[in-house]
Amino acid sequence: MPAIDLGQTTSSDDHTHGLSMIRALLSTKITLPPVQQGHISRGRLSADPGRQANLRLILISAPAGFGKSICLLEWCHALRQDGTKIVWYALDAQDNDPARFASHLAGAFARAVEEDADGFAEPATAGNLDSVMAVLVNTLAQTPDRFVFAFDDYHLIAAPEIHAALGLMLEHLPANAQIALATRADPPLQLSRLRARGQVLEVRAADLRFTAPEIEQFFAQAVGLRLSRDHLDQLDQLSEGWAAALRLITLSLGGAGQAVDSHGVGEPLVNDRSVERILSRFSPAKQHIFDYLADEVFEQQPEETRQYLLDTCVLDHLTPELCGVITGNCGAPLLLERLVRGRLFVIPLAESEPIFRYHHLFADFLRQRLRQADLPRWRERQRQAAEWYEQHADWTQAVHHALNGEEYAYAAWLIEARAWEALTSRGEIMTVLAWLPRFPQDELKEHPRLCLYFSRAMYLTGDLQQSLALVTIATQAIKGLDPSAAETVELRTIAYSYQATLAAYRGQIADGLALAEQALADRETLNRLGQTRLVNTIGYLYYASGKIAESRRFYQEAYALAQEIGHAFLMIDAQHFLAELDIAAGELGAAEARCAEMLTQYPRDLAPIGDLVLSLANVHYERNDLTRAEALLREAIQLSRSGGLRYTQWVACVALARVLAVEERFDEAQAMLRQAMAVAAAFNGPTIQSLVEAMGARLALLQGQVEEAADWLGRDAEVEALETLRHFEILTRARVLLALRHPPEALPLLEAFGHSARADGRHGHALEADVLRALALNLSGQLPAALTVLKVALPQAEREGYVRVFLDEGAPMLRLLARAGEAGISPAYVGLLREAENAARRVHPADLLSDRELDVLRLLAQGATNHDIVDALVISLGTVKSHINHIMTKLDARNRTEAVAKARSLGLLDGE
């Protein structure tokens, strides 16, 4: 596949003014904010649920305005006073990007353990999400400290990758950690399972509703009024205990912000008549209670305050500097301070910095009012906010406000000139893609560069259909530009490069090469990054058509160019394909050395490293180290999934299905193949679909389902017109024909393929074809000819350590190898191959279990619980679970009882 890169790392720029403020704004997301002044503490909600045995999740779920965040915040502050480490993460819609989520979560954890309390900067790539979760779980298991991971406003998360990662974290949390979520809707986590295990505490709207005594206390503290029994009953019925409504009622009484004396008593600031007035004026038929009361509160404010509220409501964060810029009022900081003192739905976000936000419901009310009353003013304030964030190099917020103000040309420029490289260098592809639906189609047609960038983002996430649609829009727009202008030539060259990439996925190699040649003619119009991508694409086109020498030449150039610009992702990508070319050429040792060298240069949690891990797994598979191959493939899948690199993910899933199948773990292999199909479906490419279906036919053969495999032959014929090399499909077709005992049909196919492979330098592919050709000749009664083929193939295989190329063909090949050994053909290597097969059959489960796993197994046989095992072996709960999972896998057991029964039958339990 052409380079899976996430962009170019940008160097620091001149936008340094106000950087500390931007850092402070960002840090509020991962810093536990103070409890709002005047908060009513409700002890029944702040009890410590985390001390309940086995509890993993605290779920605070209720509609807006019920005080979920305050409940979570009060509980976290109480825990922190007892020494618990609080990992706080206040979420917003932009956190749906897995890379952004990972970096913020890593920063929140570092802040909680005080490793980087003062050094938080704008989030950079902190590893992929799955690896961050794994590091967190492993770190928690090794510390005696207690941790709570608190996620506020979790309902804003919609990304399946984030839900899956958090679910995985929940599954493996050690006993000293819990997760707490404040959300308007139940998250798509394994709640039923957690409920069945008693591992979740749920706080619902009914729990959060203010009781009558709490309403009475709230009014006494907020406005100094002791309510009559009748008014208390009326307020209880009117508000139904809804915290937001109660707060608005107190504000609408006109006494907000006036303090009682130091003893909490004094003359009532309002009286029964004030309450009577509010109750008589409210009519449910008028409006929703919140809208009505918000309007009442808003209208009670002085004109200056009303204008200030409308001007600043566009902001997600309120600071004195930013509010001053937006309002153009030098007194803005004083107004903000007045709002804070008056507790007019202004919520503090930091203890040491003057950073606030409006209550979400109040902000929604103000924004709706401003848009309806004065749309030009709404747009102007959004533009001002966007320009401020642009000046302070916060491109995400700048684009956000530009789009809110429907400033599409400005937003397009921000993405093209600023945000694209900055965000993609951190892997935040989903953040970029979230902006695409907000551009009207007519606007996209006016910005071909923007379309090309969006096309690239779609390609990186595997949506090739949308990627092609966007590059088509771009090419049409480019036709309307001055053809001789330098920018037009550059854009046309980029478009040719991207079209060539997409042609490769469609199996249209000739078209792709023609487009690439057009791009090459003007390659100097591209920057070094663009040139690297173009050369990489041409390398892939030749790779896909099986041209080893040509592909190697372009990938070597791509690697050199990537080195020049220091682009790690493209360097890794080029070396991955060079390793795959080594394997195709039959040079396993060279591929292994190449991967090993690159793996020492980069962190193992960097998502593109999964490509190199995949290539290394393929080498280990060919050499029959199936355990190592499986481990590497699972690592590659995890890395690619967390980094959104779907191409690597589906290829690794197919490869893992093959490993599982040859080990006769067919259910697992089929599940993995289904996963590959699901991931590959997004690509909508016939070449990918063809390979996945061929793997399905290979699984059918390994299970003896010859008729099912034969059905695939007819389906496969429908895609034979593809120009790409289909060596896996061709060799699978030969295997099916041999299983059907049709060697006369298989032989010409294998001979033609072998000849072509050697001509292109694909000696590894030719070796596999020769092995099958030997089987076909033997099946045809031509034993001498079959041995002649093996006489050439065996020495070649021995030099590079090939094993599976023979063992994958099962008993017929073993019998043929025996005849080869008797004929004096590579007798030592034949003996090694036969011994490898015998060893695989002789492996006893006791040889697969480690000493520690045997210790755990013996305790399971005695009826020990996980916690009993923790105490007995002095290991963490997470380690116990890991050992049990390994035991289940190695004994092929579905539960503990079955594992113990199998262990007894195999004599693995001493003294029984």
Side-chain angles (χ1 to χ4, degrees), residues 743-744 747 775-782:
L747 276 170
L775 283 175
L777 289 167
N778 189 42
L779 187 59
S780 301
Q782 304 176 55

Side-chain angles (χ1 to χ4, degrees), residues 98-120:
R100 180 182 176 91
F101 189 96
S103 64
H104 278 86
L105 183 58
F109 184 74
R111 184 168 285 260
V113 297
E114 300 175 348
E115 290 180 356
D116 192 24
D118 299 318
F120 180 81

Side-chain angles (χ1 to χ4, degrees), residues 267-284:
E267 291 299 321
L269 300 176
V270 293
N271 52 39
D272 286 351
R273 289 189 299 276
S274 304
V275 179
E276 192 75 44
R277 185 183 72 253
I278 290 295
L279 294 176
S280 64
R281 292 177 65 186
F282 174 73
S283 169

Side-chain angles (χ1 to χ4, degrees), residues 774-842:
L775 283 175
L777 289 167
N778 189 42
L779 187 59
S780 301
Q782 304 176 55
L783 177 59
L787 295 178
T788 299
V789 173
L790 288 182
K791 190 173 182 178
V792 176
L794 280 166
Q796 177 189 346
E798 184 176 6
R799 284 193 299 270
E800 294 293 336
Y802 279 93
V803 176
R804 289 313 313 180
V805 72
F806 297 102
L807 299 191
D808 281 356
E809 308 315 318
M813 175 52 66
L814 291 174
R815 290 192 293 270
L816 185 55
L817 285 174
R819 299 298 295 271
E822 293 169 0
I825 300 173
S826 301
Y829 198 58
V830 166
L832 185 150
L833 293 172
R834 298 181 68 192
E835 179 61 23
E837 178 64 17
N838 292 335
R841 295 180 178 180
R842 290 201 309 268

Side-chain angles (χ1 to χ4, degrees), residues 145 183 346 495 585 804 898:
D145 294 332
T183 175
V346 180
R804 289 313 313 180
E898 186 174 328

Side-chain angles (χ1 to χ4, degrees), residues 470-501:
L470 285 162
V471 81
T472 301
I473 293 174
T475 55
Q476 290 299 319
I478 291 169
K479 290 178 181 178
L481 303 178
D482 179 0
S484 61
E487 184 179 10
T488 304
V489 177
E490 179 202 4
L491 290 174
R492 189 167 56 238
T493 305
I494 295 173
Y496 284 147
S497 177
Y498 288 5
Q499 287 174 308
T501 298

